[in-house]
Amino acid sequence: MSSSQRMSRRDFIKLLVGGTAAVIGVGVMWHLLERSRKPTEVEVLEREVKKNVFVEEGKSLISVVRGKNVKRVVKEAIELLGGLDKLIESGDVVLLKPNVGFSNVDAVTTPETLAAVIEVVKEARPKKIVIAESAVRGRDTTFNFKATGIVEVAEKYDIELIDLKKSKNLVKVKTRGGKLLDKVSTYKEVYDADVIISIPKLKRHVEATTTISLKNMMGILPDSEKGTFHNLGLHQCIADLNTVFKPDLCIVDATQVMTVSGPGRGKMVRADTILASGDPVAVDLIASKILFEIEGLDNPLERALKIPHLRRAAELGVGVIDVDKIKLIEREIS
Amino acid sequence: MIRLTRRDFIKIALASLVAGALAKFTFKLPKESGVVRPPGAVIEEEFLKRCIRCGKCISACSTSGSGTLEECGYLDGFSLVGTPKVNPVRAPCEALFGKCEGVLPCVKACPTNALVWVEPHQIKLGSVKWIRENCIAFKKGGCLVCYETCPLDGAISVKEVTAERRGKVVVVRVPEFNSEICIGCGRCVNACPATPKALVLTPKGAKRVIPRE
Amino acid sequence: MFLRSIKSNLLLARALVLVIVTLALLYLRTTCSFITILGLSLMCPILALQLLLTSNPVLNRLALSVVTPLLFILLFGRVICGWICPLGLLRNLLSSKLKAKKLIFHLNGRAILVLPIISLTTLSLTSYLANYPIYCLVCPIGALCRVILGFSLFSFDFSLLLYSMSLLLVISMTNIWCLGLCPHGALYTILGYFKLLRVVNDESKCIHCNVCLRTCPLRLQIQKATKHEYASCTTCLLCLVKCPRSSLTIKLLPTSNRKR
């Protein structure tokens, strides 16, 4: 009796140990499964940034075209800069970055403007065109594509539409002189692009004052990185981001402008304007000035000059904020 | 090998009776559970009776919804185990202004009518609560993502308040929450970049379906 | 022929079935309380019992989903316990290694019925008094299914894992759960008196070595089986495989000269 009892106690302990090991094993397995769900990360990469090709006499060119026919206005705005042949080579992958952060059309780049840009870019015959976006935190990018009509535009022109939030290919890229960020997380699909064309909507922003080309680049970030920007300091982080992911061409959709408040809801004003430039800081400055003019505020240019992320981006060499180094070409199309 | 004696059987039977008595006197279905239920949920008492914890709503949400639903664990409450709850930190509920609007895959999947079909204007999952001490806008400014992402006009607005920063009294801009307008989708909670989060979704004010049978 | 292939790799066959069942649960993404497979709805009979006792109107709508599982049990008895229940399969794998003699129980004849009756009575009493299917909150099989569901949805509750693993540990140390305490097994035993599947002993070949008795996870005396042993048998076939004289066989229909 006693020997069998000893046996059973030993077995009991064995079972206990085995059971605990099983639980730990399950826990480890679960942890690994969870980890495999998160996108895998790579080493820190570097990225070359092209200089602004749309300059004249050492000044950043900005074209401001007004007119009712968006297709003609966009075409004219780009032509006034000198056309896309300077920018796009035949082997290039062009990334179009519209603002599709929200699901209401008022808050996003209008599909018509996007279509107009696509047509002009297609004429330059790049190797591939893609449209990519990572919507505002808390929002579903794919739903935004559908709800705003961007999906139809991509289908019509047979262009790959990328919901970056669904991509698992995260990369880390070194900033070029960033003060708060020495590297940013983004997606491989963005890193692999040769030319980045930012197509923001001219809007007010509750935190950044205005959201145009520079702020629009936050749409290449995963949600976690966007969170970091707000934790560390939004304006400086926007500037740091644009040192390495500077858009090569900006086409600001000011057909309908969100005034007074934003970026989700505001007073929409029809302005029928497109701005184009290779200098995101300069074009953001002028576009902000136009926005303040539409709102009827005094000293619109001074207000625009005070916007923190514009100043800091200029400090880091992303573009020029000095009005003397900007050449404006304005045109009206009937 | 042991044979069970009659005495053993009596011991087991008595233990069972004790268990039964305990069940009668200690088990009570809660009237409120403190968890946010999926859209179209009937009132909590009835919900706990109808929900057979099959997990079909959670699976449906995970495949064709946003993936916000998850099971209640033992820490949520013994009688709630296995029932679905909305966890906005995983994902917001897309039943309104989102991909599930007009579709409600969770409701479609429920075999026992614990979740019933509701029209968009009948959906209110709860409301959000602000935890000021964690809020980036309150502590140092530079964040109003909750306001940005909220799909409803007026549920979140920006308010200027005075606060002390580094010994000085300054005016800061913080979010203000209107729990009447809020539908409890949890987008703001999901978006909040603070750790720990400055927003939490509560079932307060939730519209639940009153069953007719 | 079927018997021969089963004999040579019973453990393999069991492992395969366990894998298929787990994969099916992972794929279906549902817990065992209500399974919809190939258009057919199947409700757990114990859940149905509790809904009946608590006069839950849900049962009226889903009454049909109770019929199929009950029919299956009436025909084949506890084969679910032997081949589908993950808890049962795990216990079977451990039973040959288990030497904790103090915890292995052995019952004969009518005594077999006592545990199922106690189990079902307790369950009915507690559910009725609480006016709620209270057993489902503690059911180890339900807990295990929810753990599997948690895996397939990448949503995890550590308290659930802890609970189900501790239960598994306790239950695998003894055979009293599968013998008659488990309400599912209890119900299937009581309904299984008329089942068609039986493990029958050929008295002419039997040498009364009692290997079958020692191998049986439920410690049933299958070589001298009465209708009670037949009802409680889970058709796990471990005895059949281990029998040195192959005197045990599966019979689909009860023979006319069955031993009483």
Side-chain angles (χ1 to χ4, degrees):
Chain A
M1 189 63 177
S2 57
S3 65
S4 71
Q5 257 184 326
R6 224 183 293 143
M7 271 287 271
S8 66
R9 233 178 258 148
R10 206 179 289 169
D11 274 306
F12 175 74
I13 291 170
K14 266 195 236 171
L15 261 161
L16 210 62
V17 171
T20 319
V23 172
I24 293 172
V26 164
V28 168
M29 207 169 53
W30 163 64
H31 181 73
L32 288 171
L33 268 168
E34 270 286 300
R35 204 135 49 98
S36 72
R37 271 196 85 222
K38 294 203 178 82
T40 46
E41 297 184 11
V42 225
E43 5 66 86
V44 181
L45 304 167
E46 295 201 13
R47 184 178 188 263
E48 287 296 314
V49 176
K50 297 191 191 66
K51 273 189 150 34
N52 183 4
V53 297
F54 303 108
V55 289
E56 203 179 276
E57 298 153 16
K59 296 188 188 176
S60 294
L61 277 173
I62 304 182
S63 61
V64 182
V65 183
R66 291 180 180 83
K68 290 272 180 204
N69 185 328
V70 172
K71 287 224 170 103
R72 288 175 54 207
V73 172
V74 167
K75 208 164 148 64
E76 178 73 5
I78 296 175
E79 238 154 75
L80 286 172
L81 290 180
L84 290 180
D85 293 326
K86 281 199 249 184
L87 179 66
I88 298 175
E89 284 160 34
S90 57
D92 280 345
V93 173
V94 176
L95 172 73
L96 299 180
K97 171 68 194 68
N99 180 343
V100 201
F102 297 87
S103 51
N104 48 326
V105 182
D106 283 349
V108 304
T109 306
T110 57
E112 293 81 26
T113 309
L114 180 61
V117 174
I118 292 172
E119 283 188 8
V120 180
V121 171
K122 275 206 162 185
E123 277 172 30
R125 295 187 188 287
K127 181 168 117 188
K128 188 166 125 173
I129 307 176
V130 297
I131 302 171
E133 172 72 307
S134 163
V136 161
R137 273 174 73 103
R139 298 300 195 104
D140 181 0
T141 316
T142 302
F143 179 72
N144 290 354
F145 284 150
K146 290 199 192 114
T148 54
I150 299 289
V151 152
E152 277 88 23
V153 173
E155 277 169 15
K156 177 175 171 198
Y157 293 96
D158 192 26
I159 293 188
E160 189 184 344
L161 195 57
I162 305 176
D163 175 352
L164 289 172
K165 288 201 202 188
K166 293 204 174 125
S167 161
K168 298 226 183 265
N169 308 316
L170 272 191
V171 296
K172 283 206 205 285
V173 186
K174 261 204 260 189
T175 61
R176 302 172 75 87
K179 289 204 182 139
L180 281 178
L181 300 166
D182 56 348
K183 53 187 184 294
V184 280
S185 282
T186 180
Y187 297 94
K188 190 164 189 302
E189 291 83 344
V190 176
Y191 181 76
D192 285 344
D194 301 298
V195 176
I196 298 180
I197 300 182
S198 174
I199 315 172
K201 180 142 184 142
L202 180 53
K203 297 191 291 182
R204 270 283 198 167
H205 193 280
V206 66
E207 206 45 56
T209 317
T210 55
T211 162
I212 324 173
S213 322
L214 293 166
K215 177 84 173 60
N216 188 30
M217 291 316 290
M218 278 182 75
I220 64 167
L221 305 173
D223 276 354
S224 51
E225 190 75 348
K226 291 185 196 130
T228 309
F229 274 36
H230 286 280
N231 269 304
L232 292 178
L234 185 63
H235 289 274
Q236 187 62 53
C237 288
I238 294 174
D240 292 352
L241 169 66
N242 279 275
T243 58
V244 63
F245 282 101
K246 174 178 91 75
D248 303 302
L249 173 63
C250 308
I251 300 170
V252 179
D253 180 0
T255 52
Q256 274 229 323
V257 169
M258 186 176 281
T259 67
V260 179
S261 67
R265 273 178 303 277
K267 181 162 168 233
M268 302 308 294
V269 176
R270 183 120 223 131
D272 290 325
T273 308
I274 297 284
L275 294 94
S277 176
D279 183 333
V281 180
V283 76
D284 278 14
L285 177 75
I286 301 302
S288 302
K289 169 176 166 277
I290 292 175
L291 179 56
F292 297 142
E293 280 170 355
I294 293 174
E295 287 181 9
L297 298 172
D298 56 352
N299 303 317
L301 183 60
E302 273 155 51
R303 284 175 191 264
L305 283 165
K306 288 213 189 96
I307 297 174
H309 69 266
L310 294 191
R311 306 193 66 80
R312 297 183 199 198
E315 261 169 50
L316 293 174
V318 177
V320 300
I321 203 171
D322 188 352
V323 188
D324 294 329
K325 298 223 176 73
I326 299 175
K327 180 163 176 183
L328 219 60
I329 310 174
E330 295 182 70
R331 200 124 313 170
E332 280 232 21
I333 300 185
S334 54
Chain B
M1 287 187 285
I2 314 174
R3 287 175 159 275
L4 280 171
T5 63
R6 251 181 226 133
R7 210 176 283 172
D8 289 314
F9 283 137
I10 292 171
K11 275 192 230 168
I12 296 172
L14 276 171
S16 319
L17 275 169
V18 171
L22 271 172
K24 165 80 176 174
F25 294 112
T26 60
F27 186 78
K28 270 186 183 57
L29 275 180
K31 283 225 160 47
E32 276 162 17
S33 295
V35 295
V36 180
R37 295 293 187 195
V42 295
I43 51 174
E44 190 64 12
E45 256 186 297
E46 188 65 24
F47 183 84
L48 287 170
K49 284 198 203 146
R50 291 186 183 191
C51 178
I52 55 171
R53 295 143 169 83
C54 64
K56 284 187 163 49
C57 53
I58 301 173
S59 308
C61 180
S62 172
T63 42
S64 23
S66 66
T68 180
L69 291 183
E70 62 182 24
E71 286 192 332
C72 290
Y74 287 95
L75 301 172
D76 288 306
F78 185 66
S79 51
L80 306 179
V81 170
T83 56
K85 66 173 175 179
V86 168
N87 182 2
V89 179
R90 275 165 75 89
C93 175
E94 297 269 342
L96 275 178
F97 311 108
K99 67 196 277 200
C100 296
E101 180 154 352
V103 182
L104 299 183
C106 47
V107 174
K108 281 218 180 88
C110 180
T112 58
N113 281 352
L115 304 175
V116 297
W117 179 262
V118 281
E119 297 299 320
H121 70 269
Q122 296 169 292
I123 298 178
K124 184 176 164 120
L125 306 178
S127 54
V128 77
K129 192 172 110 169
W130 186 47
I131 303 168
R132 200 174 71 163
E133 309 82 65
N134 300 339
C135 181
I136 298 173
F138 181 73
K139 289 197 289 189
K140 61 179 174 105
C143 180
L144 282 165
V145 189
C146 51
Y147 166 80
E148 286 180 50
T149 198
C150 177
L152 264 181
D153 202 0
I156 308 181
S157 39
V158 181
K159 190 170 71 164
E160 289 189 355
V161 293
T162 49
E164 201 180 288
R165 281 205 193 141
R166 293 189 227 161
K168 280 196 272 190
V169 174
V170 288
V171 173
V172 299
R173 289 155 82 223
V174 294
E176 187 177 39
F177 300 86
N178 185 330
S179 56
E180 309 266 306
I181 303 178
C182 176
I183 47 155
C185 66
R187 284 184 178 86
C188 53
V189 182
N190 185 264
C192 179
T195 27
K197 293 235 181 212
L199 294 168
V200 69
L201 188 64
T202 71
K204 184 165 167 217
K207 284 190 195 162
R208 302 286 284 267
V209 177
I210 297 172
R212 239 172 278 154
E213 326 175 67
Chain C
M1 231 187 337
F2 175 68
L3 232 69
R4 231 175 287 151
S5 55
I6 289 268
K7 269 187 154 188
S8 48
N9 11 27
L10 184 68
L11 277 177
L12 193 66
R14 305 194 90 82
L16 200 69
V17 173
L18 178 62
V19 165
I20 291 172
V21 167
T22 315
L23 286 174
L25 276 174
L26 279 166
Y27 172 72
L28 289 171
R29 293 181 159 196
T30 176
T31 64
C32 47
S33 55
F34 192 80
I35 298 176
T36 313
I37 188 166
L38 302 167
L40 201 67
S41 294
L42 307 162
M43 184 192 282
C44 168
I46 295 295
L47 170 66
L49 174 66
Q50 291 173 95
L51 292 178
L52 186 71
L53 290 166
T54 56
S55 322
N56 196 321
V58 165
L59 197 59
N60 303 342
R61 289 185 61 242
L62 301 173
L64 220 67
S65 60
V66 189
V67 171
T68 321
L70 279 179
L71 270 173
F72 185 83
I73 293 158
L74 281 168
L75 287 173
F76 300 110
R78 291 189 74 177
V79 96
I80 299 174
C81 297
W83 286 85
I84 297 180
C85 174
L87 224 68
L89 283 163
L90 281 165
R91 266 232 73 241
N92 277 337
L93 289 172
L94 290 172
S95 92
S96 47
K97 309 219 174 357
L98 216 63
K99 291 186 187 72
K101 298 200 176 91
K102 267 227 138 165
L103 297 168
I104 303 297
F105 299 92
H106 160 71
L107 292 168
N108 266 339
R110 242 177 294 178
I112 287 174
L113 263 182
V114 182
L115 277 175
I117 289 175
I118 293 178
S119 165
L120 285 174
T121 316
T122 316
L123 183 124
S124 310
L125 204 68
T126 48
S127 300
Y128 178 72
L129 290 174
N131 198 32
Y132 194 69
I134 199 170
Y135 171 72
C136 294
L137 302 176
V138 293
C139 177
I141 299 157
L144 199 64
C145 285
R146 282 206 294 280
V147 167
I148 296 174
L149 180 68
F151 268 126
S152 64
L153 295 177
F154 299 101
S155 111
F156 221 72
D157 181 28
F158 194 67
S159 66
L160 181 65
L161 179 66
L162 205 66
Y163 175 74
S164 50
M165 289 296 134
S166 351
L167 271 187
L168 246 160
L169 199 65
V170 169
I171 288 170
S172 47
M173 294 198 314
T174 169
N175 71 339
I176 202 172
W177 176 257
C178 294
L179 190 54
L181 271 190
C182 172
H184 303 89
L187 184 68
Y188 305 165
T189 303
I190 288 174
L191 292 174
Y193 274 87
F194 311 101
K195 67 181 181 187
L196 302 176
L197 210 63
R198 286 190 179 185
V199 176
V200 175
N201 190 21
D202 187 348
E203 276 289 311
S204 60
K205 291 195 194 158
C206 180
I207 57 167
H208 302 285
C209 62
N210 275 347
V211 163
C212 53
L213 175 62
R214 288 200 297 273
T215 321
C216 179
L218 267 49
R219 295 294 188 271
L220 293 172
Q221 200 119 29
I222 203 69
Q223 79 271 43
K224 288 189 277 176
T226 63
K227 62 180 176 181
H228 305 291
E229 271 87 6
Y230 285 133
S232 189
C233 170
T234 64
T235 333
C236 69
L237 304 181
L238 276 169
C239 55
L240 193 141
V241 164
K242 282 288 198 267
C243 177
R245 290 286 183 271
S246 306
S247 67
L248 293 163
T249 50
I250 317 172
K251 282 272 190 301
L252 196 55
L253 287 163
T255 52
S256 53
N257 53 326
R258 53 170 185 265
K259 307 278 173 181
R260 286 210 142 259

